[in-house]
Amino acid sequence: MRLILLGAPGAGKGTVAKLLTQLDGSVQISTGDILRGAVQAGTELGKKAKEYMDRGDLVPDDLILGIMEKRFLEPDCQKGFLLDGFPRTIPQADALKKILVKLNIKLDMAVNLEVPREVILDRLSTRRTCVNSSCQAIYNVKSMPPKVAGKCDKCGSEIVQRADETEAAISKRLDTYNEKTAPLIGFYKKEGLLFDVNATASDTVVNAIKRKIDGI
Ligand code: ADP
Ligand code: ZN
């Protein structure tokens, strides 16, 4: 399948994407994971992106588009992809449309994960992420704690609160989402690709997407 996952920070795009990859071998492409990997590795991209990310601002469109143009050419995209965190602005959505036309790729849909703001705030402040850049597993101190406190179940690395998950950065990310990313809902509605789902529980979302895809 070829999907865009839309939704506020904390809506569960990453969790849903991971569950969907298990269905048909489609690959999860998370621009947030790619950027955090680059920051950790200290690459040029990482150096440029870090200050924006820590503040809860979006990284400039040209950096993101540079990453994504190359990413679509990797062979693992052939089976399908789940875009998690991209596009995030109208210019990114316009650019994506052009890239996909050029590569002759058709999207199935843009899934909009709808979650009440209180749930989002609670999830983000209790979320913990594995520091290992090739793992980046997600936990929640309340609802999904690791087996050993502070350690990743999958790889044993430390799990931490992300730099952009302080209260100030979270509130900034939500504002940024409302201002820059929420307009994409209208964009994909116009394209006839929008699918709204109540995303309070991730497995319900996966089932709704499965049914919708099978119906198409
Ligand atoms: P979340 O969806 O929880 O906010 P992500 O892991 O998707 O987190 O992104 C973390 C940060 O990485 C964002 O706050 C932003 O700074 C940067 N980022 C990720 N994807 C994009 C994008 N498509 N465009 C601009 N910045 C991005
Ligand atoms: Zn891990």
Side-chain angles (χ1 to χ4, degrees), residues 9 13 31-32 36 57 59 64 85 88 92 127 162 173:
K13 300 185 293 291
T31 41
R36 278 185 292 279
D57 267 333
V59 168
I64 298 290
R88 268 263 219 315
Q92 289 182 18
R127 182 153 90 173
R162 274 167 37 182
R173 275 160 67 209

Side-chain angles (χ1 to χ4, degrees), residues 129-139 151-159:
T129 308
C130 171
V131 293
N132 173 358
S133 60
S134 56
C135 178
Q136 304 205 28
I138 295 167
Y139 299 88
K151 292 267 177 293
C152 178
D153 292 348
K154 297 199 178 101
C155 74
S157 303
E158 208 191 339
I159 62 164

Side-chain angles (χ1 to χ4, degrees), residues 8-10 13 30-33 35-36 52-53 56-61 64 84-88 92 124 127 162 164-165 173:
K13 300 185 293 291
S30 159
T31 41
D33 283 354
L35 292 169
R36 278 185 292 279
Y52 296 97
M53 295 174 72
D57 267 333
L58 291 181
V59 168
D61 289 335
I64 298 290
D84 160 15
F86 174 84
R88 268 263 219 315
Q92 289 182 18
L124 289 177
R127 182 153 90 173
R162 274 167 37 182
D164 62 356
E165 283 175 356
R173 275 160 67 209

Side-chain angles (χ1 to χ4, degrees), residues 65-180:
L65 291 170
I67 299 173
M68 289 307 296
E69 266 165 18
K70 289 196 214 104
R71 189 64 188 84
F72 282 119
L73 300 175
E74 308 258 330
D76 63 350
C77 289
Q78 299 272 329
K79 278 197 188 165
F81 49 75
L82 309 155
L83 301 184
D84 160 15
F86 174 84
R88 268 263 219 315
T89 62
I90 295 281
Q92 289 182 18
D94 281 327
L96 171 63
K97 197 172 165 182
K98 289 198 189 107
I99 295 172
L100 294 179
V101 167
K102 201 162 80 187
L103 298 175
N104 201 13
I105 296 173
K106 208 173 146 289
L107 288 173
D108 295 314
M109 58 192 174
V111 183
N112 179 31
L113 308 186
E114 299 178 305
V115 182
R117 191 182 163 92
E118 317 83 73
V119 177
I120 298 246
L121 286 172
D122 189 56
R123 276 189 195 168
L124 289 177
S125 55
T126 52
R127 182 153 90 173
R128 298 292 181 272
T129 308
C130 171
V131 293
N132 173 358
S133 60
S134 56
C135 178
Q136 304 205 28
I138 295 167
Y139 299 88
N140 187 292
V141 287
K142 279 205 223 153
S143 60
M144 214 188 20
K147 293 198 183 83
V148 179
K151 292 267 177 293
C152 178
D153 292 348
K154 297 199 178 101
C155 74
S157 303
E158 208 191 339
I159 62 164
V160 299
Q161 185 161 29
R162 274 167 37 182
D164 62 356
E165 283 175 356
T166 60
E167 215 172 298
I170 288 171
S171 130
K172 177 73 203 255
R173 275 160 67 209
L174 290 175
D175 290 346
T176 306
Y177 170 79
N178 287 330
E179 183 193 335
K180 307 244 173 74

Side-chain angles (χ1 to χ4, degrees), residues 176-206:
T176 306
Y177 170 79
N178 287 330
E179 183 193 335
K180 307 244 173 74
T181 309
L184 294 185
I185 297 168
F187 180 99
Y188 286 109
K189 190 164 194 175
K190 235 193 242 160
E191 299 273 308
L193 288 171
L194 191 71
F195 178 47
D196 284 309
V197 213
N198 174 309
T200 312
S202 308
D203 44 347
T204 329
V205 179
V206 171

